[in-house]
């Protein structure tokens, strides 16, 4: 917050709205943020735990889908049938990131991904909105992910964004290069991926 405020105040000084910058001698301290991600065992727990409530089951499926595709919340929410490219050997998700406009192309290698897409192909919301998955609001998704973590016995604070961290970590652990992961995630800069 302080970083954004400092930028705005600097702009105010540049445009003459303020005489001097009260942040001119203020130095921000970088605090290292620990990025959470799930390991394969935790993903297996998610996939294999029986969840009775339909709304929780749907959120779990979408989260697992994102763990294996690296899609962000906004990209999975807008995913539609035209984003799937059919190929002889493997289908691909091919689209531009909503946030940055960076292009990405992700292979649908895992059976669980294809099973999830198949499961929701006749879902009324998907048919009516021409989307592939019935994604709720980000706030509801994150709220339900907390419930899902409790049901599955996962002690991490699950959010929709953790799926992207999980995807990147899984692929790097499997020997995929950082530049390939960058392309899958749709990052314009490799520094973002690092």
């Amino acid at each position: 917050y302080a970083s954004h405020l400092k930028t705005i105040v600097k702009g105010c000084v540049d445009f003459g709205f303020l005489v001097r910058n009260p942040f001119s001698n203020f130095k921000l301290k970088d605090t290292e943020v620990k990025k959470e991600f799930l390991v394969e065992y935790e993903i297996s727990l998610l996939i294999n735990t029986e969840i009775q409530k339909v709304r929780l089951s749907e959120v779990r499926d979408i989260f697992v889908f994102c763990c294996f595709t690296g899609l962000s919340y906004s990209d999975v929410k807008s995913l539609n049938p035209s984003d799937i490219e059919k190929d002889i050997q493997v289908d691909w998700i091919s689209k531009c990131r909503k946030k940055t406009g960076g292009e990405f192309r992700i292979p649908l290698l895992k059976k669980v991904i294809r099973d999830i897409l198949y499961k929701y192909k006749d879902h009324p919301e998907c048919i009516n909105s021409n989307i592939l998955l019935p994604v709720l609001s980000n706030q509801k998704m994150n709220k339900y992910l907390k419930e899902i973590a409790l049901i599955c016995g996962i002690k991490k604070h699950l959010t929709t964004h953790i799926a992207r961290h999980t995807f990147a970590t899984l692929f790097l652990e499997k020997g995929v290069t950082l530049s390939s992961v960058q392309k899958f995630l749709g990052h314009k800069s490799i520094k973002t991926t690092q």
Side-chain angles (χ1 to χ4, degrees), residues 121-136:
K121 73 180 181 62
D122 294 325
H123 190 283
E125 184 180 338
C126 295
I127 292 169
N128 292 337
S129 301
N130 193 36
I131 54 175
L132 292 176
L133 297 168
V135 181
L136 303 172

Side-chain angles (χ1 to χ4, degrees), residues 35-44 46-47 62-72 110 145 154 156-174 176 181 184-185 187 193:
K35 305 283 184 181
E36 291 255 56
F37 59 90
L38 299 181
V39 294
E40 286 188 46
Y41 170 74
E42 293 165 320
I43 295 170
S44 291
L46 276 173
I47 293 169
I62 294 163
F63 182 80
V64 168
F65 184 86
C66 290
C67 285
F68 290 120
T69 61
L71 292 178
S72 66
K110 291 265 187 195
L145 282 169
I154 296 172
K156 294 176 181 167
H157 176 73
L158 296 187
T159 65
T160 55
H161 195 68
I162 285 178
R164 278 178 69 78
H165 294 259
T166 300
F167 169 83
T169 305
L170 287 174
F171 271 57
L172 290 170
E173 286 176 352
K174 298 288 183 195
V176 176
V181 172
F184 289 144
L185 292 172
H187 289 158
T193 312

Side-chain angles (χ1 to χ4, degrees), residues 144-159:
Y144 295 158
L145 282 169
K146 287 180 187 178
E147 287 183 57
I148 293 165
L150 283 172
I151 292 168
C152 295
I154 296 172
K155 305 230 183 295
K156 294 176 181 167
H157 176 73
L158 296 187
T159 65

Side-chain angles (χ1 to χ4, degrees), residues 29-37 161-162 165 194:
K29 293 179 185 172
D30 283 339
T31 55
E32 192 167 321
V33 178
K34 185 177 182 270
K35 305 283 184 181
E36 291 255 56
F37 59 90
H161 195 68
I162 285 178
H165 294 259
Q194 291 171 327

Side-chain angles (χ1 to χ4, degrees), residues 51-186:
I51 297 178
Q52 298 297 324
K53 294 180 180 174
V54 174
R55 66 180 165 83
L56 294 180
S57 177
E58 289 177 355
V59 169
R60 182 261 318 266
D61 290 345
I62 294 163
F63 182 80
V64 168
F65 184 86
C66 290
C67 285
F68 290 120
T69 61
L71 292 178
S72 66
Y73 168 79
S74 60
D75 291 328
V76 77
K77 184 165 180 59
S78 65
L79 193 63
N80 65 58
S82 67
D83 296 325
I84 304 294
E85 284 183 12
K86 302 285 184 185
D87 204 336
I88 294 170
Q89 293 181 324
V90 67
D91 292 344
W92 297 78
I93 295 174
S94 183
K95 78 185 268 161
C96 292
R97 283 218 52 210
K98 194 166 186 147
K99 181 178 177 183
T100 63
E103 292 182 36
F104 64 86
R105 196 164 184 251
I106 302 165
L108 301 178
L109 298 174
K110 291 265 187 195
K111 182 181 180 311
V112 69
I113 299 170
R114 295 187 303 273
D115 289 348
I116 290 169
L117 288 175
Y118 183 79
K119 181 177 179 179
Y120 294 102
K121 73 180 181 62
D122 294 325
H123 190 283
E125 184 180 338
C126 295
I127 292 169
N128 292 337
S129 301
N130 193 36
I131 54 175
L132 292 176
L133 297 168
V135 181
L136 303 172
S137 72
N138 198 25
Q139 293 80 4
K140 282 214 165 130
M141 293 279 292
N142 288 333
K143 178 183 176 192
Y144 295 158
L145 282 169
K146 287 180 187 178
E147 287 183 57
I148 293 165
L150 283 172
I151 292 168
C152 295
I154 296 172
K155 305 230 183 295
K156 294 176 181 167
H157 176 73
L158 296 187
T159 65
T160 55
H161 195 68
I162 285 178
R164 278 178 69 78
H165 294 259
T166 300
F167 169 83
T169 305
L170 287 174
F171 271 57
L172 290 170
E173 286 176 352
K174 298 288 183 195
V176 176
T177 64
L178 189 63
S179 62
S180 293
V181 172
Q182 172 196 358
K183 289 174 187 167
F184 289 144
L185 292 172

